[in-house]
């Protein structure tokens, strides 16, 4: 739009010319008509003008003097001389003062509008070029800290002061269209800046420090346009230093985000003292975020969907109370995903390998049972993991720490208590692995057949895995050497490749794949109201956990058979519990509980039983093998420990068992020994 001023001492000429121009096009605005150059100059000092059409001969200040003064105060304003004089000297002098053209009276309309059209195109091209240059610099300044801005090219703003306005809405196309219409209105001077985010950034300019009513005029004008759905607007404080553009942008974004906690569809928030208080309140949210992982571990481990969602609701309600920023909400979402990925191998299938905990390898290779790498966190055993038929009732929720029923559902926590009572004993914070490396208490672990055994960390909470093999005495060579561990891992992989379909992952993918955490971030960021955000996050987590839970229930028996078959085929090897769990895509804690429920014995007891059976076969069938060779063959390199364990399990020493098996003249066995020989 061209803003035009007409200057002529004859009222009929200036008023008539004004009517002609107004009727021609809406793109031409006659900003004012004046009887002399002095009036026009005073108007031009305070109002934007694109073109001044002026007569030459006028009182107080003639047209040539007006052009000269305008060049000093408004160099971008173009001038057109009109006069009844045909003396070429006037034209030449006007051109020296930057008049665009020289029109003779009476004015030829065709000539006038051709000239105005050319000037309009020239203005559009000039503004487009200037805007392009300024927009590029605005983005750089908005994305840089104040200390880096002096290193950027100088940024000249149209007016001395500015404020940043950030807009998000359900219909971004409608908002962009409204912003485009506002830019055509000269009373609103601002730049729309594309920061590459799902929002609209406006830098609005002011001659004086902007007040609330100044920014309200722009946001109020935007509100007059129809916008379906929700619109969130945030306004920064006013600044004069372009180096503060980044700070203003951050303030406007924070103010915009806080609108998600308001009920109304249209929300306009200004960054002020209240926003500063919100930043302090987020310190409270920081403590919540730090504790969120520990609070979520127990219910996720046991796949108690109801308790997990109840815990998340408490966390989210606290975040709502402090009106946390989207950065804090995003951090909480990441914490939930990382906790689930650490405790549930199937979770990575739902969210991709990007859901793996930082510092962990790509996770269990599909069908290979690959162990987590150094620094990984296998599923911790801080709670019992229910198997089929003994999981907590989905309609109820219990607190694993207190045993009390939660607010989610009525009824006692008998399901949890029954599960916990049947589960192996677990050291707090341990990886839920079996003892390795002999000690005084370890001897009693395999002291009698059918012993439930003990589960936990043999040395410290930091221990993340231990051998499933039967313990050896303190004097025995270390059974879990790096080479033995590597050999075991390789055998698990080979077994997985040759295994039946029963060893396939329990959850190939949830019924509704969620994508990566980044894609979930984008979905959550698109939520414009907190209730929508909460519903989306809890819905996704709940559906995924329920899917894993149902498939574990369906696959439980097959998983135990796969592990039993591996032990029967590799009884002499050292087996990591995490490797066996990875073989069937379960957590170590869950596998231990499931195995005990299905077989009536622990994995350690089952391994001991298989080894002792094999030792009896070798003692009975291979007379040339020495006792220590038999022990080594079945996985017990320490002869003393092998003798002690064999006698405890069978009732006689290996040497006596061998003699009884091979001697026809030996006295008949009695009691448990006879029963054992008949097996």
């Amino acid at each position: 739009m061209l803003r035009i001023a007409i200057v002529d001492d004859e009222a009929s000429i200036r008023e008539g010319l004004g009517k002609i121009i107004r009727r021609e096009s809406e793109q031409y605005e006659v900003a004012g008509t004046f009887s002399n150059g002095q009036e026009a100059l005073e108007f031009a000092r305070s109002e934007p003008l694109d073109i001044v059409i002026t007569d030459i001969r006028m009182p107080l200040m003639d047209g040539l003097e007006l052009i000269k003064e305008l060049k000093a105060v408004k160099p971008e304003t173009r001038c057109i001389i009109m006069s009844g004089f045909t003396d070429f000297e006037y034209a030449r002098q006007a051109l020296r003062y930057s008049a665009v053209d020289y029109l003779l009276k009476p004015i030829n309309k065709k000539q006038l509008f051709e000239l105005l059209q050319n000037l309009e195109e020239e203005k559009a091209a000039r503004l487009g070029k200037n805007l392009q240059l300024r927009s590029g610099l605005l983005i750089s300044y908005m994305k840089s800290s104040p200390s880096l801005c002096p290193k950027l090219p100088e940024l000249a703003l149209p007016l001395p002061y500015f404020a940043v306005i950030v807009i998000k809405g359900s219909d971004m196309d409608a908002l962009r269209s409204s912003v485009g219409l506002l830019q055509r209105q000269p009373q609103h001077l601002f730049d729309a800046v594309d920061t590459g985010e799902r929002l609209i950034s406006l830098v609005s300019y002011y001659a004086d420090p902007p007040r609330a009513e100044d920014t309200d005029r722009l946001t109020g004008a935007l509100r007059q346009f129809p916008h379906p759905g929700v619109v969130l607007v945030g306004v920064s404080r006013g600044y004069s230093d372009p180096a503060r553009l980044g700070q203003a942008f951050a303030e406007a974004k924070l103010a915009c985000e806080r609108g998600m906690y308001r009920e109304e569809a249209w929300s306009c928030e200004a960054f002020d003292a209240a926003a500063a208080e919100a930043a302090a309140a987020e310190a409270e949210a920081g403590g919540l975020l730090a504790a969120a992982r520990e609070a979520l571990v127990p219910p996720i481990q046991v796949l108690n969907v109801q308790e997990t969602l109840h815990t998340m609701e408490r966390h989210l309600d606290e975040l709502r109370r402090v009106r946390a920023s989207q950065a804090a909400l995003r951090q909480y979402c990441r914490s939930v995903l990382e906790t689930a990925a650490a405790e549930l191998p199937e979770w990575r299938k739902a969210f991709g390998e990007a859901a793996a905990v930082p510092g962990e390898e790509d996770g269990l290779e599909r069908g290979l049972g690959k162990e987590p790498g150094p620094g990984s966190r296998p599923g911790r055993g801080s709670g019992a993991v229910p198997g089929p038929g003994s999981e907590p009732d989905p309609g109820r929720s219990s607190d694993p720490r207190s045993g009390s029923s939660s607010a989610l559902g009525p009824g006692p926590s008998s399901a949890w208590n029954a599960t916990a009572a049947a589960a192996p004993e677990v050291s707090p914070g341990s990886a839920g692995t079996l003892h390795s490396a002999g000690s005084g208490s370890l001897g009693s672990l395999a002291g009698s057949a059918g012993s439930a055994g003990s589960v936990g960390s043999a040395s410290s909470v930091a221990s993340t895995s231990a051998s499933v093999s039967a313990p050896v005495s303190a004097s025995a060579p270390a059974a879990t050497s790096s080479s033995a561990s590597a050999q075991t891992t390789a055998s698990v992989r080979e077994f997985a490749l040759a295994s039946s379909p029963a060893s396939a992952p329990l959850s190939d993918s949830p019924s509704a794949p969620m994508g990566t955490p980044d894609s979930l971030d984008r979905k959550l960021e698109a939520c414009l109201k907190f209730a929508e955000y909460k519903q989306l996050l809890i819905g996704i987590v709940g559906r995924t956990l329920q899917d894993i839970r149902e498939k574990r229930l369906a696959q439980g028996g097959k998983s135990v058979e796969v592990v039993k078959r591996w032990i029967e085929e590799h009884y002499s090897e050292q087996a990591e519990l995490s490797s066996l769990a990875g073989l069937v895509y379960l957590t170590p804690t869950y596998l231990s509980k499931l195995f005990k429920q299905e077989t009536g014995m622990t994995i350690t007891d089952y391994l001991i039983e298989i080894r002792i059976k094999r030792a009896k076969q070798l003692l009975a069938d291979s007379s040339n093998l020495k006792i220590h060779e038999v022990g080594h063959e079945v996985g017990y390199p320490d002869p003393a420990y092998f003798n002690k364990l064999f006698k405890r399990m069978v009732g006689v020493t290996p040497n006596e068992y061998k003699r009884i098996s091979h001697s026809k003249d030996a006295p008949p066995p009695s009691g448990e020994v006879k029963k054992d020989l008949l097996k």
Side-chain angles (χ1 to χ4, degrees):
M1 177 179 289
L2 290 179
R3 284 174 56 84
I4 304 169
I6 301 172
V7 191
D8 197 297
D9 57 345
E10 294 185 41
S12 60
I13 293 178
R14 63 176 182 265
E15 296 299 334
L17 185 58
K19 290 180 181 179
I20 293 173
I21 292 175
R22 290 189 186 98
R23 286 199 302 263
E24 178 65 19
S25 172
E26 293 181 354
Q27 295 301 312
Y28 302 147
E29 178 188 357
V30 178
T33 59
F34 307 95
S35 60
N36 60 71
Q38 185 65 45
E39 292 178 358
L41 182 61
E42 290 176 1
F43 180 82
R45 291 181 189 277
S46 60
E47 295 290 336
L49 281 177
D50 298 307
I51 297 173
V52 172
I53 302 176
T54 179
D55 191 14
I56 292 181
R57 300 277 185 167
M58 293 179 297
L60 296 180
M61 180 184 288
D62 65 15
L64 296 181
E65 185 65 22
L66 172 61
I67 294 171
K68 182 179 179 181
E69 292 294 330
L70 279 174
K71 185 177 181 181
V73 297
K74 288 288 182 71
E76 70 279 4
T77 301
R78 309 305 296 269
C79 299
I80 299 175
I81 286 289
M82 59 179 179
S83 175
F85 296 89
T86 58
D87 191 340
F88 186 65
E89 285 303 316
Y90 283 105
R92 288 198 302 178
Q93 191 174 2
L95 290 172
R96 283 200 299 272
Y97 290 139
S98 299
V100 174
D101 212 330
Y102 188 97
L103 297 175
L104 292 177
K105 296 179 180 179
I107 302 299
N108 184 303
K109 290 198 298 183
K110 181 179 179 181
Q111 183 182 5
L112 170 65
F113 292 126
E114 285 179 353
L115 182 57
L116 292 180
Q117 184 177 356
N118 291 337
L119 290 176
E120 185 179 14
E121 292 173 355
E122 179 185 314
K123 176 188 175 182
R126 183 177 69 255
L127 290 178
K129 183 178 180 180
N130 291 343
L131 178 61
Q132 185 176 9
L133 293 173
R134 190 166 67 237
S135 294
L137 285 175
L138 284 171
I139 294 174
S140 299
Y141 274 74
M142 291 171 73
K143 295 290 188 179
S144 301
S145 63
S147 61
L148 294 178
C149 289
K151 300 179 181 180
L152 299 173
E154 184 179 357
L155 174 59
L157 301 179
L159 290 175
Y161 296 91
F162 68 88
V164 174
I165 299 173
V166 166
I167 310 165
K168 295 174 67 175
S170 304
D171 192 336
M172 295 300 294
D173 290 336
L175 284 170
R176 291 188 185 93
S177 176
S178 300
V179 168
L181 293 174
L182 282 180
Q183 282 186 300
R184 299 179 184 179
Q185 300 179 8
Q187 64 268 35
H188 304 299
L189 181 57
F190 64 87
D191 286 322
V193 183
D194 182 5
T195 58
E197 303 173 60
R198 195 184 180 277
L199 49 81
I200 298 173
S201 304
L202 308 182
V203 182
S204 58
Y205 304 105
Y206 307 91
D208 301 305
R211 299 164 298 175
E213 51 265 34
D214 296 324
T215 54
D216 286 348
R217 277 196 293 271
L218 178 55
T219 58
L222 179 68
R223 190 172 185 178
Q224 301 308 311
F225 296 98
H227 301 111
V230 176
V231 177
L232 307 181
V233 181
V235 183
S236 77
R237 293 176 290 186
Y239 294 94
S240 60
D241 183 3
R244 297 293 176 184
L245 272 164
Q247 180 178 344
F249 179 54
E251 290 177 359
K253 281 183 65 178
L254 179 59
C256 178
E257 290 170 1
R258 288 169 64 81
M260 73 186 300
Y261 297 102
R262 294 174 59 171
E263 297 297 329
E264 58 268 30
W266 175 278
S267 165
C268 183
E269 295 244 355
F271 184 89
D272 55 11
E277 292 175 7
E282 279 199 36
E284 297 180 46
L288 182 149
L289 292 170
R293 180 185 294 273
E294 294 305 319
L296 286 168
V297 164
I300 287 178
Q301 276 190 335
V302 301
L303 283 175
N304 189 332
V305 181
Q306 198 82 344
E307 178 65 18
T308 301
L309 300 187
H310 178 63
T311 302
M312 290 177 62
E313 284 185 357
R314 293 199 310 269
H315 294 164
L316 291 168
D317 287 344
E318 178 66 13
L319 291 169
R320 181 190 183 111
R321 184 186 69 80
V322 300
R323 301 183 77 187
S325 67
Q326 280 203 349
L329 294 178
R330 196 157 43 244
Q331 184 181 349
Y332 176 74
C333 173
R334 286 281 178 169
S335 179
V336 172
L337 297 185
E338 289 173 2
T339 301
E343 307 301 334
L344 305 172
E346 303 98 322
W347 190 268
R348 297 182 188 132
K349 262 296 191 185
F351 285 90
E353 296 301 331
V357 180
E360 197 173 67
E361 292 185 17
D362 285 343
L364 303 172
E365 290 183 353
R366 304 298 178 248
L368 293 181
K370 182 180 179 181
E371 294 179 80
S376 64
R377 296 177 64 243
R380 289 172 291 177
S382 55
V385 182
S390 65
E391 288 205 16
D393 186 342
R396 302 186 180 191
S397 176
S398 54
D399 188 342
R401 290 155 291 187
S402 64
S404 62
S405 179
S406 79
L408 270 186
S413 55
S414 57
W416 168 265
N417 293 333
T419 302
E425 188 180 83
V426 181
S427 301
S430 72
T433 52
L434 302 179
H435 282 296
S436 66
S439 66
S441 62
L442 293 180
S444 62
L445 171 64
S448 61
S451 169
S454 171
V455 181
S457 172
S459 55
S460 69
V461 171
S463 174
T464 59
S465 63
S467 176
V468 178
S469 61
V472 295
S473 68
S475 61
T480 54
S481 65
S482 58
S483 60
S485 178
Q487 184 178 10
T488 301
T489 301
S491 68
V492 172
R493 289 174 178 159
E494 293 169 2
F495 182 82
L497 285 173
S499 184
S500 65
S503 65
L506 299 184
S507 177
D508 291 335
S509 65
S511 55
M514 297 301 119
T516 65
D518 289 334
S519 65
L520 178 57
D521 271 349
R522 288 191 293 272
K523 292 177 183 177
L524 293 171
E525 190 176 356
C527 296
L528 298 176
K529 291 298 179 182
F530 183 80
E532 180 186 359
Y533 178 97
K534 179 179 177 180
Q535 182 180 8
L536 177 61
L537 179 58
I538 286 183
I540 287 174
V541 172
R543 287 196 305 272
T544 308
L545 289 177
Q546 186 63 29
D547 181 83
I548 294 173
R549 180 179 184 273
E550 291 173 357
K551 292 187 178 180
R552 279 195 181 183
L553 288 171
Q555 189 73 15
K558 296 180 181 178
S559 299
V560 171
E561 291 304 315
V562 171
V563 173
K564 287 172 63 178
R565 188 150 55 87
W566 188 92
I567 292 174
E568 290 165 4
E569 295 179 13
H570 304 83
Y571 59 86
S572 63
E573 300 176 14
Q574 303 296 332
E576 299 291 336
L577 179 58
S578 59
S579 298
L580 294 177
L583 180 66
V584 289
Y585 290 83
L586 297 177
T587 59
T589 326
Y590 193 95
L591 175 61
S592 297
K593 169 66 182 67
L594 189 62
F595 195 94
K596 177 67 179 296
Q597 180 173 307
E598 291 289 324
T599 64
M601 63 178 68
T602 65
I603 298 178
T604 299
D605 291 336
Y606 186 77
L607 178 60
I608 291 174
E609 180 179 277
I610 295 298
R611 286 179 168 180
I612 295 300
K613 282 184 178 180
R614 178 56 179 159
K616 289 191 293 184
Q617 290 176 359
L618 292 174
L619 290 170
D621 299 339
S622 304
S623 57
N624 57 331
L625 283 177
K626 299 185 180 302
I627 300 300
H628 73 273
E629 292 175 334
V630 172
H632 194 279
E633 179 71 19
V634 298
Y636 297 117
D638 181 1
Y641 182 77
F642 173 59
N643 275 279
K644 181 179 179 181
L645 179 62
F646 190 94
K647 183 174 182 180
R648 181 166 299 183
M649 298 294 294
V650 180
V652 295
T653 65
N655 195 43
E656 290 173 338
Y657 187 92
K658 182 177 182 180
R659 181 176 57 80
I660 293 171
S661 300
H662 290 273
S663 175
K664 296 180 181 179
D665 301 327
S670 62
E672 295 298 321
V673 178
K674 180 177 181 180
K675 185 188 299 183
D676 185 76
L677 288 174
L678 295 175
K679 288 184 180 179

